[in-house]
Amino acid sequence: ASMSADGLRHHDEVLVMMTRRNLLALAWYDAPRPGHLPAVQRVVEELHGTHGKYGLLDVVVRGTPSFPDQVREEGRRLIETTHGWGGVTSHIIEVEGFAGTATRMFLSTMLLMGRGRASNQRVFARAPEGCAWLSNVLSRVENPWSAAELEQVYGEVRAIAPR
């Protein structure tokens, strides 16, 4: 597949990642392992290179929130590298209970490290709200998305079972 082609970009037991135009959709079935966030960063760099501004639909379906130092470092590098690129991320945390709380805390920490980029990122519990917000923010870019289109991509990425 050519580098700018839409479609499935990563598929293992932890992460399903797909692109559509200037949108990257991620579905996590466990906490990132070392190497996952650099893989995300490579695709983000490509989207930014092709489209400038881009959207990220980041869905945490389930998983045990354990973030070893290497993963935290990779997260920090991802945030620092993409700082100021005009990316907008909607985090949809579907994990419930303690795991969901821990995941939200980890994300909040990561967002704070992003030096005030939090206006470009929001955390939601459900897809419709997350898609509506992302659609509203992405309405001002060259490749806008409607909430319905985003919900369709959400459905697509969620329909692919982890390996």
PDB file of all heavy atoms in Angstrom, residues 3-40:
ATOM      1  N   MET A   3       2.122   5.012   0.957  1.00  0.00           N
ATOM      2  CA  MET A   3       2.181   5.592   2.286  1.00  0.00           C
ATOM      3  C   MET A   3       0.973   6.475   2.603  1.00  0.00           C
ATOM      4  O   MET A   3       0.578   6.589   3.740  1.00  0.00           O
ATOM      5  CB  MET A   3       3.454   6.426   2.434  1.00  0.00           C
ATOM      6  CG  MET A   3       4.706   5.571   2.584  1.00  0.00           C
ATOM      7  SD  MET A   3       4.606   4.417   3.969  1.00  0.00           S
ATOM      8  CE  MET A   3       5.017   5.517   5.331  1.00  0.00           C
ATOM      9  N   SER A   4       0.385   7.097   1.593  1.00  0.00           N
ATOM     10  CA  SER A   4      -0.720   8.009   1.888  1.00  0.00           C
ATOM     11  C   SER A   4      -2.078   7.322   1.732  1.00  0.00           C
ATOM     12  O   SER A   4      -3.113   7.949   1.840  1.00  0.00           O
ATOM     13  CB  SER A   4      -0.646   9.229   0.965  1.00  0.00           C
ATOM     14  OG  SER A   4      -0.726   8.782  -0.366  1.00  0.00           O
ATOM     15  N   ALA A   5      -2.061   6.020   1.444  1.00  0.00           N
ATOM     16  CA  ALA A   5      -3.320   5.305   1.211  1.00  0.00           C
ATOM     17  C   ALA A   5      -4.157   5.244   2.490  1.00  0.00           C
ATOM     18  O   ALA A   5      -3.633   5.096   3.580  1.00  0.00           O
ATOM     19  CB  ALA A   5      -3.033   3.896   0.716  1.00  0.00           C
ATOM     20  N   ASP A   6      -5.474   5.376   2.297  1.00  0.00           N
ATOM     21  CA  ASP A   6      -6.376   5.184   3.425  1.00  0.00           C
ATOM     22  C   ASP A   6      -6.416   3.707   3.775  1.00  0.00           C
ATOM     23  O   ASP A   6      -6.207   2.857   2.927  1.00  0.00           O
ATOM     24  CB  ASP A   6      -7.798   5.615   3.040  1.00  0.00           C
ATOM     25  CG  ASP A   6      -7.959   7.121   3.083  1.00  0.00           C
ATOM     26  OD1 ASP A   6      -7.002   7.798   3.479  1.00  0.00           O
ATOM     27  OD2 ASP A   6      -9.036   7.595   2.722  1.00  0.00           O
ATOM     28  N   GLY A   7      -6.719   3.434   5.017  1.00  0.00           N
ATOM     29  CA  GLY A   7      -6.936   2.049   5.371  1.00  0.00           C
ATOM     30  C   GLY A   7      -6.262   1.649   6.656  1.00  0.00           C
ATOM     31  O   GLY A   7      -5.838   2.473   7.454  1.00  0.00           O
ATOM     32  N   LEU A   8      -6.171   0.332   6.842  1.00  0.00           N
ATOM     33  CA  LEU A   8      -5.638  -0.243   8.066  1.00  0.00           C
ATOM     34  C   LEU A   8      -4.131  -0.048   8.126  1.00  0.00           C
ATOM     35  O   LEU A   8      -3.417  -0.412   7.206  1.00  0.00           O
ATOM     36  CB  LEU A   8      -5.990  -1.738   8.095  1.00  0.00           C
ATOM     37  CG  LEU A   8      -5.862  -2.467   9.417  1.00  0.00           C
ATOM     38  CD1 LEU A   8      -6.752  -1.846  10.475  1.00  0.00           C
ATOM     39  CD2 LEU A   8      -6.237  -3.933   9.214  1.00  0.00           C
ATOM     40  N   ARG A   9      -3.643   0.528   9.221  1.00  0.00           N
ATOM     41  CA  ARG A   9      -2.232   0.846   9.323  1.00  0.00           C
ATOM     42  C   ARG A   9      -1.498  -0.006  10.344  1.00  0.00           C
ATOM     43  O   ARG A   9      -0.283  -0.131  10.305  1.00  0.00           O
ATOM     44  CB  ARG A   9      -2.048   2.331   9.691  1.00  0.00           C
ATOM     45  CG  ARG A   9      -2.800   3.272   8.795  1.00  0.00           C
ATOM     46  CD  ARG A   9      -2.441   3.057   7.343  1.00  0.00           C
ATOM     47  NE  ARG A   9      -1.041   3.343   7.102  1.00  0.00           N
ATOM     48  CZ  ARG A   9      -0.574   4.538   6.789  1.00  0.00           C
ATOM     49  NH1 ARG A   9      -1.409   5.552   6.632  1.00  0.00           N
ATOM     50  NH2 ARG A   9       0.699   4.731   6.605  1.00  0.00           N
ATOM     51  N   HIS A  10      -2.234  -0.548  11.301  1.00  0.00           N
ATOM     52  CA  HIS A  10      -1.622  -1.364  12.337  1.00  0.00           C
ATOM     53  C   HIS A  10      -2.715  -2.234  12.914  1.00  0.00           C
ATOM     54  O   HIS A  10      -3.841  -1.784  13.086  1.00  0.00           O
ATOM     55  CB  HIS A  10      -1.024  -0.469  13.435  1.00  0.00           C
ATOM     56  CG  HIS A  10      -0.198  -1.225  14.443  1.00  0.00           C
ATOM     57  ND1 HIS A  10       1.175  -1.304  14.364  1.00  0.00           N
ATOM     58  CD2 HIS A  10      -0.561  -1.947  15.531  1.00  0.00           C
ATOM     59  CE1 HIS A  10       1.622  -2.050  15.369  1.00  0.00           C
ATOM     60  NE2 HIS A  10       0.586  -2.442  16.096  1.00  0.00           N
ATOM     61  N   HIS A  11      -2.383  -3.500  13.199  1.00  0.00           N
ATOM     62  CA  HIS A  11      -3.398  -4.419  13.700  1.00  0.00           C
ATOM     63  C   HIS A  11      -2.698  -5.525  14.484  1.00  0.00           C
ATOM     64  O   HIS A  11      -2.058  -6.388  13.905  1.00  0.00           O
ATOM     65  CB  HIS A  11      -4.173  -5.007  12.507  1.00  0.00           C
ATOM     66  CG  HIS A  11      -5.346  -5.839  12.927  1.00  0.00           C
ATOM     67  ND1 HIS A  11      -5.958  -6.742  12.081  1.00  0.00           N
ATOM     68  CD2 HIS A  11      -6.004  -5.927  14.100  1.00  0.00           C
ATOM     69  CE1 HIS A  11      -6.953  -7.333  12.726  1.00  0.00           C
ATOM     70  NE2 HIS A  11      -7.000  -6.853  13.955  1.00  0.00           N
ATOM     71  N   ASP A  12      -2.794  -5.437  15.808  1.00  0.00           N
ATOM     72  CA  ASP A  12      -2.284  -6.530  16.626  1.00  0.00           C
ATOM     73  C   ASP A  12      -3.220  -6.742  17.805  1.00  0.00           C
ATOM     74  O   ASP A  12      -4.369  -6.294  17.760  1.00  0.00           O
ATOM     75  CB  ASP A  12      -0.812  -6.284  17.052  1.00  0.00           C
ATOM     76  CG  ASP A  12      -0.632  -5.033  17.906  1.00  0.00           C
ATOM     77  OD1 ASP A  12      -1.625  -4.530  18.481  1.00  0.00           O
ATOM     78  OD2 ASP A  12       0.520  -4.561  18.014  1.00  0.00           O
ATOM     79  N   GLU A  13      -2.753  -7.392  18.851  1.00  0.00           N
ATOM     80  CA  GLU A  13      -3.641  -7.713  19.973  1.00  0.00           C
ATOM     81  C   GLU A  13      -3.937  -6.489  20.838  1.00  0.00           C
ATOM     82  O   GLU A  13      -4.863  -6.503  21.649  1.00  0.00           O
ATOM     83  CB  GLU A  13      -3.068  -8.856  20.825  1.00  0.00           C
ATOM     84  CG  GLU A  13      -1.798  -8.522  21.605  1.00  0.00           C
ATOM     85  CD  GLU A  13      -0.516  -8.528  20.764  1.00  0.00           C
ATOM     86  OE1 GLU A  13      -0.608  -8.705  19.514  1.00  0.00           O
ATOM     87  OE2 GLU A  13       0.562  -8.350  21.336  1.00  0.00           O
ATOM     88  N   VAL A  14      -3.167  -5.419  20.649  1.00  0.00           N
ATOM     89  CA  VAL A  14      -3.315  -4.220  21.478  1.00  0.00           C
ATOM     90  C   VAL A  14      -4.001  -3.081  20.721  1.00  0.00           C
ATOM     91  O   VAL A  14      -4.850  -2.380  21.268  1.00  0.00           O
ATOM     92  CB  VAL A  14      -1.928  -3.737  21.980  1.00  0.00           C
ATOM     93  CG1 VAL A  14      -2.030  -2.367  22.653  1.00  0.00           C
ATOM     94  CG2 VAL A  14      -1.318  -4.754  22.925  1.00  0.00           C
ATOM     95  N   LEU A  15      -3.632  -2.874  19.461  1.00  0.00           N
ATOM     96  CA  LEU A  15      -4.010  -1.653  18.735  1.00  0.00           C
ATOM     97  C   LEU A  15      -4.516  -1.937  17.322  1.00  0.00           C
ATOM     98  O   LEU A  15      -3.904  -2.689  16.567  1.00  0.00           O
ATOM     99  CB  LEU A  15      -2.785  -0.729  18.643  1.00  0.00           C
ATOM    100  CG  LEU A  15      -2.902   0.527  17.791  1.00  0.00           C
ATOM    101  CD1 LEU A  15      -3.942   1.499  18.326  1.00  0.00           C
ATOM    102  CD2 LEU A  15      -1.537   1.226  17.669  1.00  0.00           C
ATOM    103  N   VAL A  16      -5.649  -1.311  17.006  1.00  0.00           N
ATOM    104  CA  VAL A  16      -6.131  -1.248  15.626  1.00  0.00           C
ATOM    105  C   VAL A  16      -6.053   0.220  15.209  1.00  0.00           C
ATOM    106  O   VAL A  16      -6.585   1.092  15.889  1.00  0.00           O
ATOM    107  CB  VAL A  16      -7.586  -1.756  15.500  1.00  0.00           C
ATOM    108  CG1 VAL A  16      -8.079  -1.618  14.061  1.00  0.00           C
ATOM    109  CG2 VAL A  16      -7.703  -3.206  15.976  1.00  0.00           C
ATOM    110  N   MET A  17      -5.337   0.486  14.107  1.00  0.00           N
ATOM    111  CA  MET A  17      -5.109   1.871  13.674  1.00  0.00           C
ATOM    112  C   MET A  17      -5.454   1.994  12.199  1.00  0.00           C
ATOM    113  O   MET A  17      -4.976   1.217  11.385  1.00  0.00           O
ATOM    114  CB  MET A  17      -3.634   2.248  13.934  1.00  0.00           C
ATOM    115  CG  MET A  17      -3.206   3.570  13.360  1.00  0.00           C
ATOM    116  SD  MET A  17      -1.630   4.220  14.054  1.00  0.00           S
ATOM    117  CE  MET A  17      -0.414   2.993  13.606  1.00  0.00           C
ATOM    118  N   MET A  18      -6.318   2.972  11.872  1.00  0.00           N
ATOM    119  CA  MET A  18      -6.655   3.187  10.465  1.00  0.00           C
ATOM    120  C   MET A  18      -6.693   4.670  10.134  1.00  0.00           C
ATOM    121  O   MET A  18      -6.902   5.511  11.012  1.00  0.00           O
ATOM    122  CB  MET A  18      -7.988   2.529  10.114  1.00  0.00           C
ATOM    123  CG  MET A  18      -9.168   3.028  10.895  1.00  0.00           C
ATOM    124  SD  MET A  18     -10.764   2.578  10.120  1.00  0.00           S
ATOM    125  CE  MET A  18     -10.641   0.824   9.973  1.00  0.00           C
ATOM    126  N   THR A  19      -6.458   4.984   8.856  1.00  0.00           N
ATOM    127  CA  THR A  19      -6.533   6.380   8.416  1.00  0.00           C
ATOM    128  C   THR A  19      -7.636   6.533   7.380  1.00  0.00           C
ATOM    129  O   THR A  19      -7.926   5.608   6.607  1.00  0.00           O
ATOM    130  CB  THR A  19      -5.204   6.854   7.796  1.00  0.00           C
ATOM    131  OG1 THR A  19      -4.802   5.921   6.783  1.00  0.00           O
ATOM    132  CG2 THR A  19      -4.119   6.970   8.836  1.00  0.00           C
ATOM    133  N   ARG A  20      -8.235   7.711   7.390  1.00  0.00           N
ATOM    134  CA  ARG A  20      -9.194   8.156   6.377  1.00  0.00           C
ATOM    135  C   ARG A  20      -8.879   9.631   6.137  1.00  0.00           C
ATOM    136  O   ARG A  20      -9.017  10.431   7.054  1.00  0.00           O
ATOM    137  CB  ARG A  20     -10.625   8.042   6.877  1.00  0.00           C
ATOM    138  CG  ARG A  20     -11.128   6.634   7.110  1.00  0.00           C
ATOM    139  CD  ARG A  20     -11.680   6.028   5.836  1.00  0.00           C
ATOM    140  NE  ARG A  20     -12.178   4.682   6.050  1.00  0.00           N
ATOM    141  CZ  ARG A  20     -11.427   3.595   6.082  1.00  0.00           C
ATOM    142  NH1 ARG A  20     -10.112   3.688   5.956  1.00  0.00           N
ATOM    143  NH2 ARG A  20     -11.956   2.405   6.250  1.00  0.00           N
ATOM    144  N   ARG A  21      -8.461   9.956   4.913  1.00  0.00           N
ATOM    145  CA  ARG A  21      -8.113  11.352   4.613  1.00  0.00           C
ATOM    146  C   ARG A  21      -7.193  11.925   5.690  1.00  0.00           C
ATOM    147  O   ARG A  21      -6.108  11.420   5.911  1.00  0.00           O
ATOM    148  CB  ARG A  21      -9.389  12.210   4.463  1.00  0.00           C
ATOM    149  CG  ARG A  21     -10.353  11.700   3.440  1.00  0.00           C
ATOM    150  CD  ARG A  21     -11.418  12.708   2.987  1.00  0.00           C
ATOM    151  NE  ARG A  21     -11.875  13.689   3.939  1.00  0.00           N
ATOM    152  CZ  ARG A  21     -13.103  13.681   4.484  1.00  0.00           C
ATOM    153  NH1 ARG A  21     -13.955  12.723   4.200  1.00  0.00           N
ATOM    154  NH2 ARG A  21     -13.457  14.645   5.312  1.00  0.00           N
ATOM    155  N   ASN A  22      -7.642  13.007   6.364  1.00  0.00           N
ATOM    156  CA  ASN A  22      -6.809  13.670   7.374  1.00  0.00           C
ATOM    157  C   ASN A  22      -7.180  13.219   8.790  1.00  0.00           C
ATOM    158  O   ASN A  22      -7.018  13.964   9.749  1.00  0.00           O
ATOM    159  CB  ASN A  22      -6.957  15.192   7.265  1.00  0.00           C
ATOM    160  CG  ASN A  22      -8.401  15.638   7.482  1.00  0.00           C
ATOM    161  OD1 ASN A  22      -9.323  14.854   7.287  1.00  0.00           O
ATOM    162  ND2 ASN A  22      -8.595  16.890   7.871  1.00  0.00           N
ATOM    163  N   LEU A  23      -7.696  11.990   8.899  1.00  0.00           N
ATOM    164  CA  LEU A  23      -8.122  11.466  10.196  1.00  0.00           C
ATOM    165  C   LEU A  23      -7.392  10.173  10.506  1.00  0.00           C
ATOM    166  O   LEU A  23      -7.239   9.305   9.645  1.00  0.00           O
ATOM    167  CB  LEU A  23      -9.628  11.192  10.173  1.00  0.00           C
ATOM    168  CG  LEU A  23     -10.230  10.649  11.469  1.00  0.00           C
ATOM    169  CD1 LEU A  23     -10.379  11.756  12.513  1.00  0.00           C
ATOM    170  CD2 LEU A  23     -11.582   9.999  11.205  1.00  0.00           C
ATOM    171  N   LEU A  24      -6.948  10.062  11.756  1.00  0.00           N
ATOM    172  CA  LEU A  24      -6.358   8.826  12.256  1.00  0.00           C
ATOM    173  C   LEU A  24      -7.278   8.297  13.346  1.00  0.00           C
ATOM    174  O   LEU A  24      -7.629   9.028  14.271  1.00  0.00           O
ATOM    175  CB  LEU A  24      -4.962   9.103  12.812  1.00  0.00           C
ATOM    176  CG  LEU A  24      -4.230   7.953  13.525  1.00  0.00           C
ATOM    177  CD1 LEU A  24      -4.056   6.752  12.618  1.00  0.00           C
ATOM    178  CD2 LEU A  24      -2.875   8.426  14.031  1.00  0.00           C
ATOM    179  N   ALA A  25      -7.703   7.047  13.216  1.00  0.00           N
ATOM    180  CA  ALA A  25      -8.556   6.422  14.232  1.00  0.00           C
ATOM    181  C   ALA A  25      -7.795   5.287  14.895  1.00  0.00           C
ATOM    182  O   ALA A  25      -7.193   4.447  14.219  1.00  0.00           O
ATOM    183  CB  ALA A  25      -9.847   5.900  13.601  1.00  0.00           C
ATOM    184  N   LEU A  26      -7.821   5.276  16.231  1.00  0.00           N
ATOM    185  CA  LEU A  26      -7.115   4.263  17.019  1.00  0.00           C
ATOM    186  C   LEU A  26      -8.115   3.573  17.939  1.00  0.00           C
ATOM    187  O   LEU A  26      -8.942   4.241  18.560  1.00  0.00           O
ATOM    188  CB  LEU A  26      -6.045   4.904  17.904  1.00  0.00           C
ATOM    189  CG  LEU A  26      -5.037   5.856  17.284  1.00  0.00           C
ATOM    190  CD1 LEU A  26      -4.277   6.588  18.376  1.00  0.00           C
ATOM    191  CD2 LEU A  26      -4.084   5.085  16.410  1.00  0.00           C
ATOM    192  N   ALA A  27      -8.019   2.257  18.040  1.00  0.00           N
ATOM    193  CA  ALA A  27      -8.785   1.520  19.051  1.00  0.00           C
ATOM    194  C   ALA A  27      -7.796   0.680  19.852  1.00  0.00           C
ATOM    195  O   ALA A  27      -7.095  -0.171  19.289  1.00  0.00           O
ATOM    196  CB  ALA A  27      -9.855   0.644  18.405  1.00  0.00           C
ATOM    197  N   TRP A  28      -7.749   0.946  21.158  1.00  0.00           N
ATOM    198  CA  TRP A  28      -6.813   0.267  22.052  1.00  0.00           C
ATOM    199  C   TRP A  28      -7.539  -0.821  22.838  1.00  0.00           C
ATOM    200  O   TRP A  28      -8.595  -0.563  23.425  1.00  0.00           O
ATOM    201  CB  TRP A  28      -6.204   1.254  23.046  1.00  0.00           C
ATOM    202  CG  TRP A  28      -5.374   2.329  22.418  1.00  0.00           C
ATOM    203  CD1 TRP A  28      -5.788   3.577  22.040  1.00  0.00           C
ATOM    204  CD2 TRP A  28      -3.969   2.252  22.094  1.00  0.00           C
ATOM    205  NE1 TRP A  28      -4.729   4.275  21.506  1.00  0.00           N
ATOM    206  CE2 TRP A  28      -3.606   3.499  21.530  1.00  0.00           C
ATOM    207  CE3 TRP A  28      -2.993   1.257  22.241  1.00  0.00           C
ATOM    208  CZ2 TRP A  28      -2.307   3.769  21.109  1.00  0.00           C
ATOM    209  CZ3 TRP A  28      -1.704   1.529  21.824  1.00  0.00           C
ATOM    210  CH2 TRP A  28      -1.373   2.768  21.255  1.00  0.00           C
ATOM    211  N   TYR A  29      -6.937  -2.019  22.882  1.00  0.00           N
ATOM    212  CA  TYR A  29      -7.513  -3.133  23.640  1.00  0.00           C
ATOM    213  C   TYR A  29      -6.640  -3.495  24.840  1.00  0.00           C
ATOM    214  O   TYR A  29      -6.932  -4.433  25.551  1.00  0.00           O
ATOM    215  CB  TYR A  29      -7.744  -4.328  22.717  1.00  0.00           C
ATOM    216  CG  TYR A  29      -8.849  -4.012  21.740  1.00  0.00           C
ATOM    217  CD1 TYR A  29      -8.584  -3.389  20.526  1.00  0.00           C
ATOM    218  CD2 TYR A  29     -10.170  -4.275  22.065  1.00  0.00           C
ATOM    219  CE1 TYR A  29      -9.607  -3.051  19.654  1.00  0.00           C
ATOM    220  CE2 TYR A  29     -11.207  -3.945  21.201  1.00  0.00           C
ATOM    221  CZ  TYR A  29     -10.919  -3.339  19.992  1.00  0.00           C
ATOM    222  OH  TYR A  29     -11.941  -2.993  19.133  1.00  0.00           O
ATOM    223  N   ASP A  30      -5.579  -2.745  25.021  1.00  0.00           N
ATOM    224  CA  ASP A  30      -4.737  -2.834  26.210  1.00  0.00           C
ATOM    225  C   ASP A  30      -3.869  -1.578  26.218  1.00  0.00           C
ATOM    226  O   ASP A  30      -3.870  -0.821  25.250  1.00  0.00           O
ATOM    227  CB  ASP A  30      -3.864  -4.095  26.195  1.00  0.00           C
ATOM    228  CG  ASP A  30      -3.495  -4.558  27.615  1.00  0.00           C
ATOM    229  OD1 ASP A  30      -3.756  -3.804  28.580  1.00  0.00           O
ATOM    230  OD2 ASP A  30      -2.944  -5.661  27.754  1.00  0.00           O
ATOM    231  N   ALA A  31      -3.146  -1.373  27.307  1.00  0.00           N
ATOM    232  CA  ALA A  31      -2.255  -0.216  27.373  1.00  0.00           C
ATOM    233  C   ALA A  31      -1.183  -0.356  26.289  1.00  0.00           C
ATOM    234  O   ALA A  31      -0.813  -1.472  25.915  1.00  0.00           O
ATOM    235  CB  ALA A  31      -1.604  -0.151  28.750  1.00  0.00           C
ATOM    236  N   PRO A  32      -0.682   0.782  25.773  1.00  0.00           N
ATOM    237  CA  PRO A  32       0.374   0.712  24.758  1.00  0.00           C
ATOM    238  C   PRO A  32       1.585  -0.054  25.276  1.00  0.00           C
ATOM    239  O   PRO A  32       1.965   0.097  26.432  1.00  0.00           O
ATOM    240  CB  PRO A  32       0.748   2.175  24.519  1.00  0.00           C
ATOM    241  CG  PRO A  32      -0.364   2.985  25.075  1.00  0.00           C
ATOM    242  CD  PRO A  32      -1.021   2.158  26.132  1.00  0.00           C
ATOM    243  N   ARG A  33       2.144  -0.881  24.417  1.00  0.00           N
ATOM    244  CA  ARG A  33       3.418  -1.528  24.738  1.00  0.00           C
ATOM    245  C   ARG A  33       4.509  -0.709  24.071  1.00  0.00           C
ATOM    246  O   ARG A  33       4.235   0.086  23.171  1.00  0.00           O
ATOM    247  CB  ARG A  33       3.421  -2.966  24.185  1.00  0.00           C
ATOM    248  CG  ARG A  33       2.173  -3.722  24.624  1.00  0.00           C
ATOM    249  CD  ARG A  33       2.437  -5.145  25.053  1.00  0.00           C
ATOM    250  NE  ARG A  33       1.209  -5.673  25.662  1.00  0.00           N
ATOM    251  CZ  ARG A  33       0.484  -6.665  25.123  1.00  0.00           C
ATOM    252  NH1 ARG A  33       0.876  -7.229  24.003  1.00  0.00           N
ATOM    253  NH2 ARG A  33      -0.609  -7.075  25.721  1.00  0.00           N
ATOM    254  N   PRO A  34       5.765  -0.915  24.489  1.00  0.00           N
ATOM    255  CA  PRO A  34       6.861  -0.197  23.819  1.00  0.00           C
ATOM    256  C   PRO A  34       6.789  -0.405  22.302  1.00  0.00           C
ATOM    257  O   PRO A  34       6.605  -1.533  21.843  1.00  0.00           O
ATOM    258  CB  PRO A  34       8.108  -0.845  24.423  1.00  0.00           C
ATOM    259  CG  PRO A  34       7.681  -1.240  25.806  1.00  0.00           C
ATOM    260  CD  PRO A  34       6.252  -1.707  25.637  1.00  0.00           C
ATOM    261  N   GLY A  35       6.875   0.682  21.550  1.00  0.00           N
ATOM    262  CA  GLY A  35       6.801   0.603  20.092  1.00  0.00           C
ATOM    263  C   GLY A  35       5.467   1.038  19.515  1.00  0.00           C
ATOM    264  O   GLY A  35       5.392   1.435  18.350  1.00  0.00           O
ATOM    265  N   HIS A  36       4.394   0.961  20.306  1.00  0.00           N
ATOM    266  CA  HIS A  36       3.086   1.348  19.765  1.00  0.00           C
ATOM    267  C   HIS A  36       2.989   2.847  19.506  1.00  0.00           C
ATOM    268  O   HIS A  36       2.514   3.267  18.444  1.00  0.00           O
ATOM    269  CB  HIS A  36       1.955   0.898  20.704  1.00  0.00           C
ATOM    270  CG  HIS A  36       1.568  -0.536  20.540  1.00  0.00           C
ATOM    271  ND1 HIS A  36       1.719  -1.463  21.544  1.00  0.00           N
ATOM    272  CD2 HIS A  36       1.062  -1.204  19.476  1.00  0.00           C
ATOM    273  CE1 HIS A  36       1.310  -2.643  21.103  1.00  0.00           C
ATOM    274  NE2 HIS A  36       0.908  -2.506  19.854  1.00  0.00           N
ATOM    275  N   LEU A  37       3.413   3.660  20.476  1.00  0.00           N
ATOM    276  CA  LEU A  37       3.289   5.115  20.290  1.00  0.00           C
ATOM    277  C   LEU A  37       4.213   5.635  19.186  1.00  0.00           C
ATOM    278  O   LEU A  37       3.802   6.517  18.421  1.00  0.00           O
ATOM    279  CB  LEU A  37       3.485   5.841  21.625  1.00  0.00           C
ATOM    280  CG  LEU A  37       2.386   5.522  22.664  1.00  0.00           C
ATOM    281  CD1 LEU A  37       2.670   6.205  23.989  1.00  0.00           C
ATOM    282  CD2 LEU A  37       1.002   5.888  22.141  1.00  0.00           C
ATOM    283  N   PRO A  38       5.447   5.102  19.041  1.00  0.00           N
ATOM    284  CA  PRO A  38       6.251   5.502  17.867  1.00  0.00           C
ATOM    285  C   PRO A  38       5.569   5.143  16.541  1.00  0.00           C
ATOM    286  O   PRO A  38       5.686   5.894  15.567  1.00  0.00           O
ATOM    287  CB  PRO A  38       7.561   4.722  18.055  1.00  0.00           C
ATOM    288  CG  PRO A  38       7.682   4.561  19.536  1.00  0.00           C
ATOM    289  CD  PRO A  38       6.262   4.340  20.006  1.00  0.00           C
ATOM    290  N   ALA A  39       4.841   4.028  16.494  1.00  0.00           N
ATOM    291  CA  ALA A  39       4.107   3.650  15.275  1.00  0.00           C
ATOM    292  C   ALA A  39       3.010   4.675  14.993  1.00  0.00           C
ATOM    293  O   ALA A  39       2.798   5.077  13.842  1.00  0.00           O
ATOM    294  CB  ALA A  39       3.515   2.249  15.424  1.00  0.00           C
ATOM    295  N   VAL A  40       2.327   5.116  16.054  1.00  0.00           N
ATOM    296  CA  VAL A  40       1.310   6.160  15.911  1.00  0.00           C
ATOM    297  C   VAL A  40       1.966   7.451  15.417  1.00  0.00           C
ATOM    298  O   VAL A  40       1.472   8.107  14.494  1.00  0.00           O
ATOM    299  CB  VAL A  40       0.576   6.409  17.256  1.00  0.00           C
ATOM    300  CG1 VAL A  40      -0.328   7.634  17.164  1.00  0.00           C
ATOM    301  CG2 VAL A  40      -0.221   5.174  17.674  1.00  0.00           C
TER     302      VAL A  40
END
